[in-house]
Amino acid sequence: MTSTIEQSFIKKILSENFSCIGAKASITKSSYEFYLLEKIASEKSTHNLYESLKSFTQKRQEINTHFASFIACFTNHNEITPSQFEHLLWKQLYMLHQHDEFEWDSRVSDDINNPYFSFSIAGDAYFVIGMCPNHPRKCREFPYPTLVFNSHHQFKYLKEINLFEKIKKIVRLRELQYSGSINPNLVDFGEQSEALQYSGLKALNGWKCPFRFDKKENSDVY
């Protein structure tokens, strides 16, 4: 049975003005998993999210050969500011990394500052899209903190079939019409670290991720 929160998410994505046509396709083709958790970046949610993401990664190509998304929505932490959410997003990814028993996907970098960085879980690279209450960009606004995991390699496939540039132009035009501007952090893989895009917030000069992924540590993540 589809939850009320999932129905709200689907309604947002399928709304006429929503800019990302890839997200629309994922919803209409049911090539996604929607998972409800409790508090973002908590130990309980991290354990449950990791196990679900690992399962999704192992069966992702069965859901859809190239395009499948995992959507994690946190239900009891909806009174946070976008800046607080950005920190919690990275804290959650770091905690997932600490749980991960797999090696980092060798096709991407684990150095957050490297132009070829992409987040890896269960041996597969993902581009992460963060959404939260009161986000300044319309397409990233949602009543609950949400992380969308899209396989990084679907973008490589789109380039291989010569559709990437066409889709990128369409999405950016729709984003301009929807939000009045395009995301100022938008860059192509290999130009600058995609980490700048995960939260959807404008990155200030000298922005640094509060966590590292090129090694695992038993340090306090709070």
Side-chain angles (χ1 to χ4, degrees), residues 27-142:
I27 295 297
T28 56
K29 294 180 180 179
S30 297
S31 56
Y32 72 94
E33 284 192 2
F34 191 93
Y35 195 66
L36 292 176
L37 299 117
E38 295 182 2
K39 191 174 182 179
I40 186 171
S42 67
E43 287 292 342
K44 180 179 179 181
S45 290
T46 299
H47 172 76
N48 292 337
L49 177 56
Y50 175 68
E51 292 300 323
S52 297
L53 263 173
K54 181 170 67 173
S55 175
F56 172 80
T57 298
Q58 293 168 345
K59 64 184 179 183
R60 177 174 55 80
Q61 291 190 334
E62 297 176 13
I63 298 173
N64 188 289
T65 306
H66 299 291
F67 306 103
S69 299
F70 184 94
I71 304 156
C73 183
F74 302 87
T75 61
N76 71 343
H77 205 336
N78 59 344
E79 295 183 0
I80 61 174
T81 66
S83 60
Q84 290 171 330
F85 168 72
E86 181 176 39
H87 180 81
L88 289 169
L89 178 155
W90 286 109
K91 179 181 174 182
Q92 180 64 88
L93 295 184
Y94 180 80
M95 292 175 74
L96 282 171
H97 177 54
Q98 298 305 299
H99 274 67
D100 195 8
E101 69 262 42
F102 292 80
E103 294 294 323
W104 201 269
D105 189 332
S106 62
R107 294 165 290 186
V108 298
S109 174
D110 60 3
D111 178 357
I112 197 75
N113 298 308
N114 191 297
Y116 295 96
F117 170 82
S118 189
F119 182 69
S120 175
I121 200 75
D124 209 4
Y126 286 96
F127 183 91
V128 182
I129 298 171
M131 304 172 71
C132 71
N134 301 311
H135 197 289
R137 303 202 65 78
K138 289 183 180 180
C139 64
R140 297 290 193 105
E141 200 282 329
F142 193 63

Side-chain angles (χ1 to χ4, degrees), residues 4-22:
T4 301
I5 295 176
E6 182 177 350
Q7 290 174 350
S8 296
F9 184 86
I10 291 172
K11 183 178 179 179
K12 176 181 178 63
I13 301 301
L14 296 184
S15 63
E16 182 179 355
N17 294 326
F18 190 79
S19 54
C20 184
I21 58 175

